[in-house]
Amino acid sequence: MGQMIELTSADGTRIPAYLAEPAGKPKGAVVVVQEIFGINRHIREVADGYAADGYLAVAPATFHRVKPGVELDYSEAGMTEGIALKQAVEALPAPGVQADLQAAVDWVAERSGGKVGIVGYCWGGLLAWRAACQLNGLSAAVPYYGGGMTTPAEIARQPGVPVLAHFAETDRSIPLEGVEAFRKAHPEVEVHLYPAHHGFNCNHRGAWDEPSARLARERTLAFFGTHLG
């Protein structure tokens, strides 16, 4: 269903992205933001899924500025490399990767002719939260277990669009105290907790929890249906 394309960021950098197109006219667009494992099979499948539901979906390679062509598995070695690449991207001068996400938002807005949402997983969840607070042209954002979202610095941000946030009850990297602090600071955000672990949406990981993933997806599609069409 999908193909690789290139986006052009504001500074002229060309960023690869995976594009999945719906069968008919898009009812909107979704920017899919990767985990720390690159544009791997799971992220391509996620984009394909949103396309099957009628959205033009694009997943930009958010590691490209520090290392092109990253596609990691969920092994310990993949995790170690992914964490190092994430840290390298986070260390880039502002606006860093947010400029590439803005390029993705702008591209799908023009291509689809509709409203644009963003969904991200793990590190991508954090980037989706920041996008909701910083980027132009978005109409909705959905972070899944966004690593770092519940730190004081991130909680202090203010979203400019409706946000739906999914967290896991037994996520060792995102303590429940942080989730509750986030929920208290942002009553305007729809927050859901699931009886699962970090990464519960990914059926290529041992943490996959099918009932939680299904419910979160149903809620996400309803949310996008309300705010994107």
Side-chain angles (χ1 to χ4, degrees):
M1 183 182 294
Q3 61 179 306
M4 293 302 295
I5 62 168
E6 281 193 333
L7 308 170
T8 303
S9 198
D11 65 357
T13 302
R14 298 183 69 82
I15 304 295
Y18 179 77
L19 172 69
E21 300 183 84
K25 177 178 172 57
K27 56 186 178 182
V30 176
V31 175
V32 178
V33 194
Q34 65 176 63
E35 305 166 299
I36 60 169
F37 303 98
I39 306 300
N40 63 4
R41 179 180 173 187
H42 171 56
I43 294 301
R44 296 193 299 270
E45 289 174 353
V46 168
D48 289 344
Y50 282 109
D53 284 305
Y55 295 99
L56 183 69
V58 66
T62 50
F63 280 155
H64 185 73
R65 287 181 182 267
V66 296
K67 185 176 181 180
V70 176
E71 183 174 343
L72 304 174
D73 58 26
Y74 296 97
S75 65
E76 185 174 344
M79 181 80 70
T80 299
E81 183 176 355
I83 290 172
L85 289 169
K86 169 196 168 183
Q87 292 171 342
V89 174
E90 291 282 316
L92 292 171
V97 73
Q98 291 299 100
D100 305 332
L101 296 180
Q102 184 68 66
V105 170
D106 294 344
W107 193 90
V108 291
E110 182 176 358
R111 180 73 174 262
S112 71
K115 295 180 179 179
V116 181
I118 190 167
V119 59
Y121 304 85
C122 184
W123 176 50
L126 171 62
L127 295 179
W129 168 245
R130 290 175 180 169
C133 303
Q134 297 176 334
L135 299 191
N136 299 315
L138 285 173
S139 294
V142 182
Y144 275 73
Y145 33 84
M149 263 181 71
T150 60
T151 63
E154 296 298 334
I155 289 176
R157 299 184 190 275
Q158 295 298 320
V161 299
V163 176
L164 166 64
H166 302 297
F167 293 103
E169 292 178 357
T170 54
D171 190 333
R172 289 179 295 177
S173 63
I174 307 177
L176 287 178
E177 302 81 50
V179 175
E180 290 308 314
F182 180 90
R183 191 201 301 264
K184 183 176 179 180
H186 292 287
E188 78 284 2
V189 174
E190 183 179 342
V191 176
H192 292 286
L193 272 168
Y194 299 84
H197 302 293
H198 186 89
F200 69 80
N201 183 72
C202 180
N203 60 347
H204 298 283
R205 303 177 72 166
W208 181 52
D209 186 87
E210 195 274 338
S212 296
R214 183 177 65 249
L215 179 56
R217 179 170 171 75
E218 289 172 357
R219 286 169 168 164
T220 299
L221 287 173
F223 186 76
F224 281 157
T226 296
H227 297 291
L228 305 184

